[in-house]
Amino acid sequence: MYFFVLLLPFIDYLASCEASTVLLNRNLAYSSPFTGHDQAYIHQPQLAIDTKQLAKRHTAHARRQTEDATGFVDEHYSTFYGGDFSNSPTIWKGGLNFTHSVASGDPFNTSVLLWTRAVPVSPPGTTALPDQSVPACLSFKISTSPDLQGDTIDSGDAFTSYDVDWTLKVEATGLTPDTKFFFQFSDCTNSSSVSPIGTTRTFPSPDTPANEVNGGTPLTLAVFSCSQYQAGKQFLSHEACLRTEIKLITTGWFNAYGYATHNTSAEIFLHLGDYIYESLGDGASIGRQTLGRELATVHDYRQRLNQYRTDEGLLAAHQSGPWVTVCAIGCAFSPSGACFTDRKLAAVRAYHEWLPIRQVTVNDKLRIWRNFEIGKLLDLTMLDTRQYDRDITDASITTYPAKRLKTNVCFIQLYYNTECEHQRLINTLAAFPNRSLMGFEQEKWFFNTLSQSQNRGAIWRVVGQQIVFTQLNESGVFDLIVRKDAWDGYRVNRERVLNYLYENEINNTIILSGDSHANWVSDLAHPNDSTTYNPLSGQGAIGVEFAGTAVTSGSSFGTNIAPAAADVKSQEYVAANLDLQWSEGSYRGFFTLTIDPNTLNATYYAMRNITFANLDGFASANFVVKAGENKLSRPVAGGSTLAGVLKFNGTESH
């Protein structure tokens, strides 16, 4: 009996750890993308978050507080999770601040990820904050009622802590397919302390007839890329590999996000990369001064994500609908000395904490390529064409003479290579038959996904990826110097994709692209091959590419370039590239896709001023693709646009 009495506290302790671990595990920010990778963290122990150890840590803290069993009361003891959390010594009860509203993402037909961030605050009249061993407890609920007063479809509790930057990511399950929902978080210890209410939705079941998806009304997606909070360095001229001029430019406010939220019918938000930037800049003149340093550590990435997510337009967009994203951060060495691998893993760790993105597979922590079956209306296939197992790529290198900076310095923008002679090497490698942009495992998966989509009867195949697919020559001269990081640097890989579409008669393929900081709309065809493709009629095309400009990042035509000057460059591009049908390089913005079984409409939006927060924009162009035609409908854009340059009758014209 004496032994049993001594054993009781230990049994309670084990039960407490187990119950605590359950609530920690419900927060997916602890696990993704590193679940199932214990052995992988021999060299990255700082990125592994063991929830069992966390449970032991803060449960031990509770035991220290309750070591004396005198006056023992059940609801005060940490074993009794699910009871009265307001009295638990193992969670913070001093108050929480929902610092970044709410978000949702990666919806399935019966589930969706919900996200928030809740930072402990000091109780009134004190400066007390929790010990690092003490988590915060949050409750969530989701309903079809806008005020959450109707039936609750799913609810639960979960822990967060400083270990994941106080972020919380939970999966709401048991939801009705193809339905709009509303959700909210609250403090477990104080139900009156709540987050804003978010809006989200589920996708329809894969077998839902195309004409019944979204209740029989067109489905609208908003597409973004390249949102830079701060000012940055812009290289303005180059000769071979040596770029000689640098200018500090101010990018601006994320007005595109706000415009899409408030002025379009978009229900789903896609982001195609460069959600944040690692570099520093001086945006103080417009209130956009970045914090910290060039990013290298998990702390650096968390700080930058924290700052980006204070933008009102971005907050509103995350609160108003689910996001589907691909990551394009963490791709270089940095002045801090952090190596490529460590920096990349730090970026991925923070990205999965701050974004409602799913871990695709436990066997591959860096995999973000995945597919969403949205009824029989479409498959949304998200690729990783920037980071996943691709062959050697390009760096934007600038070497400044010792006279200017006292020592030779290479500014490495994003990519791997660090010497200019390597750029010439890439020119020779670009046409190698075994060269791959996305790795052969992903490439094989992509081809299989295309075929499976068509075989299951989906009408549209919408492919989201980071970089421009269409070949873009300047003045009729194929020059890889400035575009090796796009598909132009992987020409045979692009041919494999096009050949697969042609040879397998894959219809209604729409490729979405970002990265270039300019707008491009093209028929998909073998590059500049007039024997198989007619640019006047579109005959011979196998699909369409819609490539969007940046939310804020400076134009690749020249930062702050005026529309008239940008149109001069656009005229050169549409004249030199047969399949390119529209080019625009001045405005920052985004585009939407509105999809029904018969038609896909792409509308491009331009922001007039991004130097302050506003919703001043306009629809600059609209394009139509009819199901089964595999090309842009003629006349392209109805024959006119409000910005940029169209190709008419095989020649360039406004």
Side-chain angles (χ1 to χ4, degrees):
M1 178 64 70
Y2 178 71
F3 173 77
F4 182 72
V5 171
L6 290 177
L7 191 60
L8 277 175
F10 181 68
I11 294 173
D12 283 337
Y13 172 67
L14 292 179
S16 174
C17 287
E18 182 177 355
S20 177
T21 302
V22 169
L23 293 178
L24 289 165
N25 287 340
R26 183 171 284 167
N27 183 356
L28 301 179
Y30 287 109
S31 58
S32 64
F34 302 116
T35 295
H37 291 278
D38 295 341
Q39 296 302 315
Y41 286 89
I42 295 173
H43 302 294
Q44 291 89 27
Q46 75 280 8
L47 296 176
I49 298 180
D50 188 333
T51 53
K52 290 183 179 179
Q53 291 300 319
L54 292 187
K56 291 178 181 178
R57 183 185 72 191
H58 74 253
T59 303
H61 175 77
R63 288 188 72 231
R64 289 195 301 271
Q65 295 182 9
T66 59
E67 193 70 31
D68 183 357
T70 303
F72 179 76
V73 179
D74 283 357
E75 63 266 27
H76 288 188
Y77 196 65
S78 57
T79 298
F80 292 87
Y81 290 111
D84 185 359
F85 279 110
S86 64
N87 293 320
S88 172
T90 64
I91 61 174
W92 179 247
K93 58 180 180 180
L96 298 173
N97 179 18
F98 293 93
T99 57
H100 292 77
S101 190
V102 296
S104 65
D106 276 13
F108 287 164
N109 60 322
T110 61
S111 69
V112 66
L113 297 186
L114 309 179
W115 181 97
T116 194
R117 183 170 185 261
V119 177
V121 295
S122 301
T126 77
T127 58
L129 287 172
D131 179 270
Q132 68 176 27
S133 63
V134 178
C137 179
L138 296 174
S139 299
F140 75 92
K141 60 181 177 179
I142 185 168
S143 171
T144 55
S145 172
D147 60 3
L148 297 171
Q149 297 304 306
D151 292 339
T152 297
I153 308 301
D154 192 21
S155 63
D157 304 314
F159 282 172
T160 186
S161 66
Y162 87 101
D163 304 276
V164 289
D165 204 17
W166 302 105
T167 61
L168 181 72
K169 182 166 63 175
V170 297
E171 183 176 20
T173 61
L175 308 181
T176 306
D178 206 9
T179 301
K180 187 175 185 178
F181 292 95
F182 304 89
F183 66 97
Q184 188 176 53
F185 295 89
S186 62
D187 184 342
C188 290
T189 70
N190 179 7
S191 61
S192 65
S193 175
V194 297
S195 72
I197 295 175
T199 303
T200 191
R201 63 162 295 151
T202 49
F203 284 148
S205 299
D207 59 354
T208 301
N211 62 356
E212 295 179 13
V213 168
N214 202 37
T217 62
L219 183 68
T220 300
L221 292 67
V223 185
F224 308 93
S225 66
C226 304
S227 43
Q228 188 175 23
Y229 185 92
Q230 73 278 26
K233 296 178 177 66
Q234 174 72 19
F235 300 100
L236 298 179
S237 62
H238 65 84
E239 181 177 358
C241 290
L242 183 62
R243 302 188 182 211
T244 58
E245 186 177 349
I246 189 169
K247 179 182 179 182
L248 192 67
I249 56 91
T250 298
T251 50
W253 294 76
F254 299 157
N255 297 335
Y257 295 136
Y259 191 99
T261 301
H262 299 293
N263 295 335
T264 77
S265 59
E267 296 182 71
I268 301 161
F269 297 81
L270 308 185
H271 202 288
L272 302 181
D274 289 343
Y275 183 85
I276 66 169
Y277 281 73
E278 291 103 332
S279 59
L280 283 172
D282 184 9
S285 62
I286 60 169
R288 305 290 274 189
Q289 178 66 56
T290 47
L291 301 174
R293 59 177 183 174
E294 181 164 340
L295 309 186
T297 66
V298 173
H299 167 77
D300 295 337
Y301 281 97
R302 287 170 173 170
Q303 183 183 51
R304 189 63 54 83
L305 284 160
N306 182 326
Q307 186 174 26
Y308 271 53
R309 289 283 284 274
T310 61
D311 182 275
E312 291 184 3
L314 183 53
L315 283 173
H318 272 298
Q319 188 177 336
S320 66
W323 282 51
V324 177
T325 66
V326 288
C327 173
I329 58 176
C331 308
F333 290 82
S334 72
S336 68
C339 73
F340 171 84
T341 302
D342 287 347
R343 187 181 187 186
K344 186 172 184 177
L345 289 173
V348 171
R349 168 78 262 169
Y351 189 81
H352 275 264
E353 289 172 352
W354 277 83
L355 272 292
I357 184 174
R358 295 177 187 267
Q359 179 178 1
V360 181
T361 173
V362 299
N363 297 319
D364 193 341
K365 60 184 176 295
L366 296 181
R367 175 177 167 177
I368 57 173
W369 34 282
R370 59 208 192 278
N371 186 63
F372 300 86
E373 296 179 344
I374 306 178
K376 293 198 174 181
L377 180 64
L378 76 145
D379 274 55
L380 174 61
T381 305
M382 304 298 285
L383 301 180
D384 184 352
T385 53
R386 291 296 293 271
Q387 300 182 90
Y388 191 88
D389 197 27
R390 72 176 182 177
D391 290 321
I392 190 170
T393 185
D394 175 42
S396 295
I397 304 298
T398 302
T399 302
Y400 293 98
K403 291 180 182 179
R404 294 180 61 184
L405 295 177
K406 299 182 181 179
T407 183
N408 288 331
V409 176
C410 260
F411 285 86
I412 307 167
Q413 292 226 221
L414 283 177
Y415 315 117
Y416 307 165
N417 300 337
T418 58
E419 298 180 10
C420 288
E421 55 265 26
H422 286 180
Q423 297 189 13
R424 298 185 180 90
L425 172 63
I426 302 301
N427 281 342
T428 65
L429 296 178
F432 276 27
N434 64 342
R435 184 166 163 78
S436 177
L437 177 61
M438 50 184 160
F440 287 104
E441 180 184 358
Q442 183 182 185
E443 187 174 329
K444 180 180 178 181
W445 172 89
F446 176 42
F447 292 160
N448 288 339
T449 299
L450 289 171
S451 291
Q452 290 168 6
S453 173
Q454 180 147 298
N455 292 339
R456 77 178 188 86
I459 294 177
W460 301 96
R461 274 146 290 285
V462 178
V463 181
Q465 50 92 54
Q466 294 100 321
I467 54 182
V468 176
F469 186 86
T470 299
Q471 180 172 296
L472 295 175
N473 296 346
E474 273 189 270
S475 302
V477 178
F478 187 58
D479 180 11
L480 281 177
I481 284 292
V482 297
R483 214 166 265 109
K484 290 188 291 294
D485 183 50
W487 285 86
D488 279 346
Y490 299 80
R491 300 197 297 273
V492 176
N493 197 166
R494 176 169 55 201
E495 282 299 298
R496 288 198 297 270
V497 173
L498 290 170
N499 287 338
Y500 191 87
L501 294 174
Y502 280 114
E503 292 169 5
N504 293 276
E505 298 181 349
I506 305 294
N507 293 314
N508 300 330
T509 300
I510 308 295
I511 292 182
L512 312 180
S513 310
D515 182 64
S516 72
H517 305 179
N519 289 314
W520 319 90
V521 173
S522 308
D523 287 325
L524 290 179
H526 291 293
N528 290 328
D529 185 353
S530 59
T531 64
T532 59
Y533 168 71
N534 183 334
L536 174 61
S537 65
Q539 187 68 31
I542 194 61
V544 172
E545 178 180 24
F546 294 112
T549 188
V551 171
T552 57
S553 303
S555 172
S556 54
F557 288 22
T559 298
N560 299 328
I561 189 171
D567 285 353
V568 173
K569 290 182 175 288
S570 289
Q571 288 171 349
E572 296 176 357
Y573 278 113
V574 298
N577 299 275
L578 289 179
D579 37 356
L580 178 64
Q581 295 292 327
W582 180 63
S583 169
E584 192 283 312
S586 176
Y587 291 100
R588 308 300 84 201
F590 69 103
F591 65 95
T592 61
L593 298 179
T594 301
I595 309 170
D596 65 34
N598 302 310
T599 307
L600 184 148
N601 284 277
T603 302
Y604 281 72
Y605 292 91
M607 303 298 103
R608 287 192 173 92
N609 191 333
I610 59 170
T611 62
F612 65 97
N614 65 81
L615 298 178
D616 189 8
F618 64 97
S620 59
N622 185 73
F623 303 89
V624 175
V625 183
K626 295 180 180 178
E629 292 193 351
N630 297 322
K631 63 177 183 177
L632 292 161
S633 294
R634 269 49 178 185
V636 173
S640 65
T641 64
L642 295 182
V645 174
L646 279 170
K647 183 198 300 286
F648 284 157
N649 300 322
T651 62
E652 64 275 6
S653 174
H654 285 288

